[in-house]
Amino acid sequence: MNTASALLNPFLKLKSAHSTCGDNYGSAKFFFAINRAERTVFTMKDENGEREISVADYFVEKYNYRLKYPRMPLVFSMRLKHANYYPVELLKIIPGQRIKMSKMTVTVQSAMTSRNSSMPRQHVELVQKILHESLRLERNPYMDAFGIELESTNLIQLKAKILPPAQIRFKDQAYLPRPRSVAFRTQAKFVNPARLKSIAIIIFDHAIDERQAGGFCEALHRYCRDQGISVMEDHRKWQIKEMRSCDNSEIKRKMERYRDEKVDILIGICQEKRPDVHDVLKYYEEACGMQTIQLCSQTVNKMMSQQGGRQTIDNVMRKFNLKCGGTNFHVDIPQECMGRSVCSNNETLRRKLFEHTQFIGFEISHGASRTLYNRAHGQMDGDPSVVGVSYSLTNSTELGGFTYLQTSREYKLQNLEKKFPECVNAYKEHAKRLPSKIVVYRVGMGEGDIKRLKEEIEEIRSTFDKIQPGYRPHLIVIVAQKNSHTRVFPARIEGHKAGEQNVPSGTCLDNGITSFGAEEFILVSQTPLIGTVRPCKYTILENDPKWTKNEISHLTYFRAFGHQVSYQPPSVPDVLYAAENLAKRGRNNWIVHKKMDNMQDVERKILKRYPELDTEEMRDELAAAIITDMSERMNGMTIMKRNFWA
């Protein structure tokens, strides 16, 4: 937001602030306040001493401006401990601002998504209209002049296959989702429930009262007992603390104290979903090594109620168990599905694909490029890229992970000589042996970057001797292009809902549309709720054990069922999905870290240590040195718990 003029931009120090909803802008927080300009008063100091004056009267006296709408809510901002109020009529929104999805209401998100998405039938009609009416590819004089002939504008028809879903193993039962409709709901107990010593709760901004807090603790303890999660300390002895959401230093002190007292997890309760509180909690989660989970008061009330909200409770408990070190279920290969055999011997295939196999996923989140403002002020080249790394342990659904920074907008993975051994050594520590097979899922760059991806593979192989002299595991590298422009439609598009018009989950194409000389397949793992489904295109770059494309496509689909919170497969395997979450978490932590650590101070410290970098020709080296310094500090914050990003 920006004021209409510099004259009408006063900073008013107020006695109190009552806010309802907020947004971030720079280092300040903006809220729509309940107070009105004619009723909100503050203490003003001038040559006549101190006196109380309303916001409306202040503008009349100070600027000779009478507000046209003195009864409208004010915009309240909070910068450190200073509160400021702004009349809405004097503000304007700077054009071109992007609004995060987390800052939009569900109604706005739904309206924007539905308006910008098209169902399969509409999608096909639109493409045909563009080809015939806009591009006019048939009998095109320019194409005829160059001797280019278009055989047909019709869709390519290929035979696809529907892969069977994975078998889900809980503690007391094995569950096989139905093909096509693969979402499953079950009350089965977790295969590996967590073991806890103590739990702490922070209530932000009086989100719930003392009576509700006691009821929530009792309900959570009951749900833990039902799922086999053991908590040594009685729920009446759990530590409960009230705190202001803007008091970051106090939040950090409390989390450090809870960590020293061996508290397993901190539950933060807010009045509503607050991204600012969430980002600060997650930043200190890694900085302090204290596991956290954020709940809003509405979720807390559902957990205390005996009626309704069962799905909400299940989602909270699935995430809670993961964050505390447990595992909800394991993924296995079914023997048969819907009365048809999946494989001749599923135990032999399980040993071949899963036994002593580690799965590793890499995802990169790129920041904004360098702006004219950065150049004018001599600041480093934009934000660094954040790499999310997820890896499996003894069982394929037991995941660990971390994030690290690398050069801004660099698509090739850096620091593999250090980071790849971390993944393999974590498996060795957990399984008490090294993996004999390593399957790497890496988010793709583009078809023109295969050469650089091959260089990454050679760098990965060069790390094997660093892990252990003579170590030579079988390496399988699969590149996933999540944003492929390929779309898959059923031969006959019927129905009206997205689930009816789209191809079902498990649809796989492995012939007729692959690139020259490449082993590729296209797979739809997710079930769309709106619009046209976007399939993922997979390219097999390395395949030491010579697994067949059919085996790898089935393996990739089975891995998608490993997502432990939502009991239905996302668009990619679980290690890639976890790596994506880690990259997002790393991006948010970087933003919070920048607010708390002056980047210019970091640059001065680097230049003091390496003065030869203070030239225009050495700007890239300086940026790399800054990223390395920040990366080392942020990497040291990653807590050593599995699934901490869940």
Side-chain angles (χ1 to χ4, degrees):
M1 291 184 179
N2 189 20
T3 54
S5 67
L7 178 64
L8 303 178
N9 187 17
F11 282 82
L12 312 179
K13 184 176 287 187
L14 302 177
K15 299 193 306 183
S16 63
H18 303 282
S19 58
T20 56
C21 61
D23 193 6
N24 284 335
Y25 183 72
S27 58
K29 299 175 182 177
F30 286 83
F31 302 88
F32 280 105
I34 300 173
N35 305 58
R36 299 183 296 190
E38 61 182 7
R39 293 186 178 182
T40 303
V41 296
F42 67 99
T43 302
M44 185 175 71
K45 296 180 181 180
D46 54 18
E47 63 275 5
N48 298 322
E50 292 187 5
R51 57 193 174 95
E52 288 192 344
I53 186 173
S54 70
V55 174
D57 292 339
Y58 174 84
F59 275 86
V60 174
E61 182 176 320
K62 183 74 174 179
Y63 301 109
N64 194 27
Y65 180 85
R66 186 173 299 279
L67 296 177
K68 297 179 181 179
Y69 308 100
R71 295 185 179 182
M72 287 188 68
L74 294 165
V75 173
F76 162 64
S77 74
M78 192 75 185
R79 187 184 297 270
L80 299 179
K81 296 182 179 180
H82 300 286
N84 310 295
Y85 271 83
Y86 305 90
V88 175
E89 65 186 77
L90 302 180
L91 302 176
K92 64 180 180 180
I93 298 177
I94 298 177
Q97 291 191 93
R98 297 183 62 185
I99 303 176
K100 294 181 179 180
M101 293 291 288
S102 59
K103 305 292 179 68
M104 300 181 188
T105 64
V106 177
T107 304
V108 173
Q109 291 183 30
S110 177
M112 293 186 63
T113 305
S114 59
R115 185 176 300 176
N116 292 284
S117 62
S118 59
M119 298 284 279
R121 186 182 294 113
Q122 295 173 310
H123 195 103
V124 173
E125 292 173 354
L126 179 61
V127 170
Q128 292 294 332
K129 184 177 180 181
I130 293 174
L131 292 176
H132 292 89
E133 298 181 13
S134 299
L135 298 180
R136 298 180 181 179
L137 294 182
E138 293 183 335
R139 295 185 298 277
N140 187 297
Y142 300 101
M143 296 176 63
D144 294 339
F146 286 93
I148 300 175
E149 182 180 354
L150 182 65
E151 292 184 358
S152 174
T153 58
N154 296 327
L155 299 180
I156 301 175
Q157 295 190 8
L158 298 171
K159 285 188 176 181
K161 53 187 177 183
I162 307 297
L163 304 184
Q167 189 173 49
I168 312 300
R169 292 193 176 275
F170 293 92
K171 185 175 183 178
D172 50 1
Q173 75 175 62
Y175 187 88
L176 184 64
R178 293 178 61 85
R180 298 178 179 270
S181 178
V182 293
F184 57 97
R185 295 183 63 183
T186 176
Q187 299 297 322
K189 290 187 176 182
F190 299 143
V191 67
N192 180 24
R195 301 288 182 267
L196 308 179
K197 175 186 175 183
S198 179
I199 297 173
I201 298 172
I202 293 181
I203 303 171
F204 293 104
D205 305 325
H206 309 288
I208 59 175
D209 56 32
E210 184 177 349
R211 180 187 59 82
Q212 290 175 309
F216 168 71
C217 292
E218 182 180 358
L220 179 61
H221 189 269
R222 182 173 65 252
Y223 295 134
C224 288
R225 185 175 62 248
D226 293 343
Q227 279 292 350
I229 301 174
S230 63
V231 185
M232 295 174 59
E233 189 175 69
D234 188 270
H235 67 86
R236 287 164 291 192
K237 296 182 180 179
W238 293 354
Q239 301 185 53
I240 302 176
K241 174 71 176 178
E242 290 192 4
M243 195 177 299
R244 292 185 303 166
S245 59
C246 59
D247 197 347
N248 294 344
S249 58
E250 181 63 19
I251 294 174
K252 181 181 180 182
R253 283 194 295 269
K254 275 295 178 184
M255 292 180 68
E256 289 175 339
R257 176 187 165 188
Y258 291 148
R259 177 200 61 197
D260 296 339
E261 294 176 354
K262 306 299 182 184
V263 174
D264 293 279
I265 189 168
L266 166 66
I267 302 175
I269 301 177
C270 301
Q271 184 65 40
E272 56 187 12
K273 189 174 181 181
R274 293 280 301 278
D276 52 339
V277 178
H278 179 270
D279 291 345
V280 171
L281 276 178
K282 297 310 172 184
Y283 175 78
Y284 285 132
E285 177 181 68
E286 296 198 47
C288 303
M290 180 72 238
Q291 187 69 277
T292 67
I293 184 172
Q294 182 191 8
L295 302 176
C296 64
S297 56
Q298 183 180 6
T299 301
V300 170
N301 291 330
K302 285 184 178 180
M303 294 187 69
M304 290 189 294
S305 174
Q306 297 296 325
Q307 299 178 356
R310 186 67 232 182
Q311 186 173 356
T312 300
I313 296 169
D314 290 342
N315 288 339
V316 171
M317 295 310 300
R318 295 166 190 168
K319 184 175 291 189
F320 185 83
N321 187 54
L322 288 177
K323 283 178 168 290
C324 296
T327 305
N328 296 349
F329 59 82
H330 292 161
V331 171
D332 207 346
I333 301 174
Q335 180 71 44
E336 62 178 29
C337 180
M338 301 294 291
R340 299 179 60 181
S341 176
V342 174
C343 60
S344 57
N345 190 325
N346 66 331
E347 182 60 27
T348 301
L349 187 60
R350 187 193 66 80
R351 287 197 299 266
K352 178 179 182 180
L353 301 180
F354 285 94
E355 193 172 74
H356 307 316
T357 303
Q358 183 179 31
F359 298 89
I360 303 177
F362 288 96
E363 169 72 277
I364 304 179
S365 172
H366 299 290
S369 58
R370 193 182 189 192
T371 63
L372 293 176
Y373 179 86
N374 298 138
R375 296 178 184 274
H377 289 76
Q379 296 179 1
M380 58 175 283
D381 293 351
D383 289 341
S385 295
V386 182
V387 182
V389 186
S390 177
Y391 52 82
S392 67
L393 300 173
T394 306
N395 191 281
S396 62
T397 53
E398 299 172 332
L399 301 183
F402 56 87
T403 62
Y404 69 92
L405 308 180
Q406 67 176 29
T407 305
S408 177
R409 308 195 69 77
E410 174 56 59
Y411 289 82
K412 183 176 179 294
L413 293 172
Q414 298 177 339
N415 298 322
L416 285 173
E417 70 281 358
K418 295 180 180 179
K419 303 305 176 183
F420 199 84
E422 287 186 28
C423 304
V424 181
N425 288 329
Y427 180 97
K428 178 182 178 181
E429 182 179 355
H430 194 268
K432 308 305 178 185
R433 59 158 294 157
L434 287 170
S436 58
K437 302 176 288 291
I438 299 177
V439 180
V440 176
Y441 285 97
R442 194 248 198 255
V443 172
M445 298 182 287
E447 295 182 1
D449 295 305
I450 297 298
K451 181 179 179 181
R452 301 183 73 189
L453 292 173
K454 291 285 188 180
E455 293 175 358
E456 285 183 5
I457 295 174
E458 295 306 314
E459 292 179 17
I460 290 174
R461 291 190 184 279
S462 66
T463 65
F464 292 161
D465 279 322
K466 297 179 181 179
I467 297 171
Q468 181 176 295
Y471 178 53
R472 295 293 182 273
H474 285 163
L475 181 64
I476 303 96
V477 179
I478 304 167
V479 178
Q481 295 185 28
K482 297 191 298 181
N483 297 322
S484 170
H485 296 294
T486 303
R487 296 294 181 270
V488 182
F489 308 96
R492 295 180 59 185
I493 302 177
E494 300 176 340
H496 302 282
K497 299 180 181 179
E500 297 170 342
Q501 291 194 21
N502 278 290
V503 294
S505 172
T507 301
C508 180
L509 290 148
D510 59 3
N511 61 84
I513 53 174
T514 58
S515 303
F516 178 75
E519 287 283 316
E520 296 179 340
F521 60 93
I522 293 173
L523 178 62
V524 176
S525 300
Q526 72 276 34
T527 301
L529 299 177
I530 190 171
T532 302
V533 68
R534 175 175 291 183
C536 188
K537 184 178 181 180
Y538 296 91
T539 303
I540 306 170
L541 288 186
E542 204 75 6
N543 186 8
D544 290 348
K546 305 301 181 184
W547 290 346
T548 65
K549 187 192 298 186
N550 187 50
E551 290 173 335
I552 293 178
S553 61
H554 277 77
L555 174 67
T556 301
Y557 187 50
F558 292 155
R559 298 296 309 138
F561 283 84
H563 182 37
Q564 300 275 304
V565 178
S566 176
Y567 282 11
Q568 60 180 341
S571 60
V572 292
D574 57 346
V575 286
L576 265 187
Y577 192 84
E580 180 182 353
N581 286 341
L582 280 163
K584 291 178 181 177
R585 177 68 55 83
R587 172 65 55 198
N588 289 336
N589 284 348
W590 164 258
I591 293 172
V592 177
H593 192 73
K594 284 199 304 181
K595 294 179 181 178
M596 299 183 178
D597 196 347
N598 192 322
M599 291 297 295
Q600 293 182 347
D601 292 342
V602 176
E603 185 170 342
R604 282 193 291 267
K605 185 181 71 173
I606 296 294
L607 289 175
K608 185 176 180 180
R609 191 189 310 167
Y610 306 105
E612 66 275 8
L613 298 179
D614 193 13
T615 61
E616 185 63 30
E617 293 77 13
M618 301 295 286
R619 293 302 299 180
D620 291 341
E621 286 73 9
L622 174 60
I626 293 174
I627 290 173
T628 300
D629 179 84
M630 300 289 284
S631 182
E632 288 176 354
R633 282 187 284 169
M634 288 191 65
N635 290 344
M637 298 191 312
T638 301
I639 61 178
M640 301 308 294
K641 286 188 177 181
R642 296 191 297 106
N643 293 315
F644 70 90
W645 63 89

